[in-house]
Short mmCIF file of all heavy atoms in Angstrom, two decimals:
data_model
loop_
_atom_site.label_atom_id
_atom_site.label_comp_id
_atom_site.label_asym_id
_atom_site.label_seq_id
_atom_site.Cartn_x
_atom_site.Cartn_y
_atom_site.Cartn_z
N SER A 7 -1.01 17.71 3.49
CA SER A 7 -0.48 18.78 4.28
C SER A 7 -1.32 19.12 5.49
O SER A 7 -2.51 18.88 5.45
CB SER A 7 -0.24 20.08 3.44
OG SER A 7 -1.55 20.55 2.93
N ALA A 8 -0.71 19.59 6.60
CA ALA A 8 -1.41 19.90 7.81
C ALA A 8 -0.76 21.09 8.43
O ALA A 8 0.41 21.37 8.08
CB ALA A 8 -1.44 18.68 8.72
N ALA A 30 -7.92 17.49 13.68
CA ALA A 30 -7.47 16.17 13.93
C ALA A 30 -6.52 16.12 15.08
O ALA A 30 -6.00 17.18 15.45
CB ALA A 30 -6.81 15.63 12.70
N GLN A 37 4.28 9.83 22.56
CA GLN A 37 4.44 11.26 22.32
C GLN A 37 3.18 11.99 22.81
O GLN A 37 2.10 11.44 22.90
CB GLN A 37 4.56 11.54 20.82
CG GLN A 37 5.80 10.91 20.21
CD GLN A 37 5.96 11.22 18.73
OE1 GLN A 37 5.26 12.07 18.21
NE2 GLN A 37 6.79 10.52 18.06
N GLY A 46 -8.95 19.30 3.87
CA GLY A 46 -10.21 18.53 3.89
C GLY A 46 -10.46 17.67 2.67
O GLY A 46 -10.77 16.48 2.75
N HIS A 47 -10.27 18.28 1.47
CA HIS A 47 -10.58 17.47 0.23
C HIS A 47 -9.61 16.32 0.10
O HIS A 47 -10.11 15.20 -0.20
CB HIS A 47 -10.50 18.40 -1.00
CG HIS A 47 -10.84 17.70 -2.30
ND1 HIS A 47 -12.07 17.32 -2.54
CD2 HIS A 47 -10.00 17.41 -3.32
CE1 HIS A 47 -12.04 16.71 -3.79
NE2 HIS A 47 -10.81 16.76 -4.24
N SER A 61 1.03 10.17 5.02
CA SER A 61 2.15 10.89 5.45
C SER A 61 1.75 12.34 5.62
O SER A 61 1.41 12.97 4.60
CB SER A 61 3.30 10.77 4.44
OG SER A 61 4.42 11.51 4.74
N GLY A 67 6.11 21.43 12.02
CA GLY A 67 6.06 20.30 12.99
C GLY A 67 6.63 18.95 12.41
O GLY A 67 6.40 17.93 13.02
N LYS A 75 -7.55 6.26 12.98
CA LYS A 75 -8.09 5.33 14.00
C LYS A 75 -9.55 5.58 14.24
O LYS A 75 -10.24 4.63 14.55
CB LYS A 75 -7.22 5.53 15.31
CG LYS A 75 -7.14 4.36 16.13
CD LYS A 75 -6.60 3.10 15.39
CE LYS A 75 -6.53 1.95 16.27
NZ LYS A 75 -6.38 0.68 15.51
N LEU A 92 -3.27 7.62 14.36
CA LEU A 92 -2.35 6.86 15.15
C LEU A 92 -1.04 6.86 14.41
O LEU A 92 -0.91 6.54 13.26
CB LEU A 92 -2.82 5.39 15.34
CG LEU A 92 -1.92 4.51 16.18
CD1 LEU A 92 -1.82 4.96 17.62
CD2 LEU A 92 -2.43 3.06 16.15
N GLY A 116 -30.95 -22.82 -4.48
CA GLY A 116 -31.59 -21.73 -3.77
C GLY A 116 -31.02 -21.34 -2.45
O GLY A 116 -31.55 -20.68 -1.61
N GLU A 129 -3.44 -8.48 12.04
CA GLU A 129 -2.24 -7.75 12.42
C GLU A 129 -1.32 -7.79 11.21
O GLU A 129 -1.09 -8.86 10.68
CB GLU A 129 -1.51 -8.40 13.63
CG GLU A 129 -0.36 -7.65 14.10
CD GLU A 129 0.24 -8.33 15.37
OE1 GLU A 129 0.80 -9.39 15.21
OE2 GLU A 129 0.14 -7.67 16.42
N GLY A 169 -9.59 -17.90 15.87
CA GLY A 169 -9.80 -18.55 14.56
C GLY A 169 -11.11 -19.31 14.39
O GLY A 169 -11.52 -19.63 13.34
N GLU A 189 -61.75 -20.19 0.84
CA GLU A 189 -63.12 -20.52 0.56
C GLU A 189 -63.79 -21.35 1.67
O GLU A 189 -64.95 -21.22 1.89
CB GLU A 189 -63.16 -21.39 -0.76
CG GLU A 189 -62.82 -20.64 -1.99
CD GLU A 189 -62.82 -21.45 -3.20
OE1 GLU A 189 -63.52 -22.50 -3.21
OE2 GLU A 189 -62.14 -21.09 -4.10
#
Side-chain angles (χ1 to χ4, degrees):
S7 62
Q37 297 180 15
H47 181 71
S61 176
K75 209 55 181 162
L92 179 65
E129 186 177 68
E189 292 178 22

